[in-house]
Amino acid sequence: MTDHTVITEVDDALGKKLSREAREMLGLVALAQDKAGKARALIVRRLTDIALLPESQLMPQERQLVDQMLAQLIGHIEVDLRARLAARLADRADAPQEVIVTLANDVIAVAQPLLERSRALADSDLVTIIAANGHDHWVAAARRAELSSSVTDALIATCDPEALMQIAGNEKALFSSKGYEKIVALSESQPELCAPLLGRRDLTPSLAHTMFWWASSRLRLEIVNRFTTDRRLLREALTDALDDGLEAFSGDPDLLRTLKLMVPQRRYGPSIGEDLISAARATDLRKVVVLISQLAQIAPLTAAHIVMDQGGEALAVASKALGLTRKEYLQFALLVASHRSGPSRNAAEVNRLTGLFDSVATDRADVVLRYWDDAVDARRKIRDEVQVAASQDVAA
């Protein structure tokens, strides 16, 4: 194919004369068939120069043609040249679309700057790239300064620990509701996610209290202190609306779940501490679980989580919510711990748990129980959904 033939064919396709610069570049197309690396490199550099010209200096048809030629040539040039081209295009918002998508799917040495910085990559491009590639591409995409919820959904679906740590610690990474629920659920098997997730300003109290059950002792205290609302003002404002009970809101499960937090704190009789201590002296803890479930009006599964929790923070909070005195709590906690195998708590651990019991207000402790009850139920539903999805995949 001669230079003249190439130019004639393009002129016919466009139906108009091309600019002088574009015609000069098209004269280099024949060299693309040359095996010499220098010739191919020259073509790519010159085409890139044209592609990066201001929009006013290149007609749309010309830009489209140059982009198409670059995309065709990319597969015939060396990795180091592709990497230099990608680095040059990474900071250009007007970079040729077909070229950068091709380069972003290339080996990571080429794709990395585009995945990390290119504003010319659309969210749909990133989602497709994430689905088609592996760990290195996921981590590079996760390092972007800003991420939409559709992109974080795609990254969360990979379950890749390094990529998840990147987006969890990025305040400008947006999460969908489902995406947030999934990354919080993944933090159970990847506990290093807990700290950056708890540091996010958009994390809801409900999700924070979901992580309580597998968070470290330090983070548990943070969850109880930072993510527990003082409901007195809201309760006063909503008293009239709640006079007729919560049944009126049964058609809106999300609103109903929130309004349950506003229900006045239960008042317990003076014998409740004695009843719990007596139950804890039994041969097993089932009676304690049933009693806490009935007294606090929470699900038996939630009560079981509280009683069997190894850290002890849950029992301290529940004891405060139920109105136990400090002396009753210490005796109750000691009896519950005696049912477990392993070493007894040392003085420092006992002091830490007693400090938590003393520091949390009874009303706030009751709010925590509501969050836990909601979180345990939500976790059960999520696990059921995951099991159903897994069974469908197997069947398929």
Side-chain angles (χ1 to χ4, degrees), residues 259-281:
L259 290 177
K260 282 181 178 179
L261 295 174
M262 300 300 113
V263 173
Q265 180 189 341
R266 295 152 188 79
R267 300 299 176 187
Y268 305 104
S271 66
I272 188 170
E274 297 176 3
D275 294 340
L276 286 168
I277 290 169
S278 175
R281 288 196 177 103

Side-chain angles (χ1 to χ4, degrees), residues 159-391:
C159 301
D160 183 83
E162 191 175 351
L164 295 185
M165 281 293 289
Q166 288 287 339
I167 63 175
N170 182 358
E171 282 284 352
K172 291 186 178 180
L174 305 179
F175 294 157
S176 67
S177 297
K178 289 293 185 182
Y180 232 144
E181 289 176 359
K182 184 169 183 180
I183 195 171
V184 165
L186 287 170
S187 72
E188 183 173 7
S189 58
Q190 301 179 34
E192 65 276 8
L193 287 171
C194 292
L197 286 173
L198 288 170
R200 295 181 62 90
R201 287 175 290 181
D202 58 351
L203 184 72
T204 64
S206 178
L207 290 174
H209 283 284
T210 298
M211 285 190 285
F212 175 91
W213 299 106
W214 53 82
S216 66
S217 295
R218 179 183 64 82
L219 293 178
R220 284 181 161 199
L221 294 177
E222 181 181 344
I223 292 169
V224 171
N225 291 325
R226 277 188 54 218
F227 292 92
T228 305
T229 58
D230 188 335
R231 58 187 174 179
R232 287 174 297 179
L233 291 176
L234 283 174
R235 186 187 294 147
E236 290 174 4
L238 296 173
T239 297
D240 294 342
L242 299 177
D243 279 346
D244 296 330
L246 297 175
E247 291 77 12
F249 306 97
S250 58
D252 190 337
D254 292 332
L255 177 60
L256 179 62
R257 198 159 46 240
T258 302
L259 290 177
K260 282 181 178 179
L261 295 174
M262 300 300 113
V263 173
Q265 180 189 341
R266 295 152 188 79
R267 300 299 176 187
Y268 305 104
S271 66
I272 188 170
E274 297 176 3
D275 294 340
L276 286 168
I277 290 169
S278 175
R281 288 196 177 103
T283 55
D284 60 54
L285 292 173
R286 281 179 291 184
K287 188 174 181 180
V288 174
V289 170
V290 172
L291 192 55
I292 289 178
S293 173
Q294 293 174 345
L295 291 170
Q297 297 182 24
I298 58 178
L301 183 58
T302 307
H305 273 71
I306 291 169
V307 173
M308 303 308 296
D309 176 55
Q310 294 294 319
E313 293 87 356
L315 193 65
V317 172
S319 296
K320 193 61 174 280
L322 292 169
L324 272 65
T325 65
R326 192 172 193 267
K327 182 179 179 180
E328 288 172 335
Y329 159 65
L330 286 170
Q331 187 177 0
F332 179 49
L334 181 63
L335 287 168
V336 170
S338 69
H339 288 269
R340 301 195 190 100
S341 59
S344 303
R345 300 195 193 283
N346 58 39
E349 291 175 323
V350 172
N351 288 336
R352 175 178 60 80
L353 294 173
T354 305
L356 173 60
F357 176 87
D358 291 337
S359 66
V360 63
T362 305
D363 185 69
R364 289 171 69 88
D366 187 69
V367 174
V368 173
L369 291 189
R370 308 306 130 206
Y371 278 128
W372 287 347
D373 203 33
D374 184 50
V376 169
D377 183 56
R379 283 179 67 199
R380 179 185 57 77
K381 290 179 180 178
I382 291 173
R383 286 177 175 174
D384 289 346
E385 291 175 0
V386 170
Q387 289 175 354
V388 169
S391 64

Side-chain angles (χ1 to χ4, degrees), residues 37-243:
K38 288 184 179 180
R40 293 195 300 274
L42 173 62
I43 296 172
V44 171
R45 282 197 298 270
R46 298 297 297 277
L47 288 174
T48 304
D49 289 339
I50 294 179
L52 296 179
L53 285 172
E55 189 172 343
S56 60
Q57 295 185 29
L58 203 64
M59 292 188 297
Q61 298 94 328
E62 295 172 343
R63 186 177 296 279
Q64 183 179 9
L65 179 61
V66 171
D67 293 353
Q68 183 178 352
M69 288 191 294
L70 270 175
Q72 291 172 348
L73 286 172
I74 284 172
H76 302 285
I77 60 177
E78 293 77 9
V79 171
D80 62 337
L81 185 56
R82 299 202 304 272
R84 292 201 298 272
L85 175 60
R88 188 174 181 186
L89 296 175
D91 297 314
R92 293 293 299 257
D94 58 347
Q97 186 71 17
E98 187 175 353
V99 173
I100 62 167
V101 170
T102 301
L103 292 172
N105 279 288
D106 208 324
V107 296
I108 193 60
V110 175
Q112 184 170 343
L114 292 168
L115 293 173
E116 292 182 353
R117 306 196 305 273
S118 177
R119 290 173 293 160
L121 286 172
D123 289 344
S124 57
D125 295 326
L126 290 167
V127 170
T128 302
I129 291 166
I130 291 166
N133 292 279
H135 167 79
D136 291 337
H137 287 69
W138 300 339
V139 173
R143 291 191 184 120
R144 294 175 73 87
E146 298 180 4
L147 291 165
S148 71
S149 59
S150 62
V151 178
T152 58
D153 278 349
L155 289 168
I156 291 168
T158 70
C159 301
D160 183 83
E162 191 175 351
L164 295 185
M165 281 293 289
Q166 288 287 339
I167 63 175
N170 182 358
E171 282 284 352
K172 291 186 178 180
L174 305 179
F175 294 157
S176 67
S177 297
K178 289 293 185 182
Y180 232 144
E181 289 176 359
K182 184 169 183 180
I183 195 171
V184 165
L186 287 170
S187 72
E188 183 173 7
S189 58
Q190 301 179 34
E192 65 276 8
L193 287 171
C194 292
L197 286 173
L198 288 170
R200 295 181 62 90
R201 287 175 290 181
D202 58 351
L203 184 72
T204 64
S206 178
L207 290 174
H209 283 284
T210 298
M211 285 190 285
F212 175 91
W213 299 106
W214 53 82
S216 66
S217 295
R218 179 183 64 82
L219 293 178
R220 284 181 161 199
L221 294 177
E222 181 181 344
I223 292 169
V224 171
N225 291 325
R226 277 188 54 218
F227 292 92
T228 305
T229 58
D230 188 335
R231 58 187 174 179
R232 287 174 297 179
L233 291 176
L234 283 174
R235 186 187 294 147
E236 290 174 4
L238 296 173
T239 297
D240 294 342
L242 299 177
D243 279 346

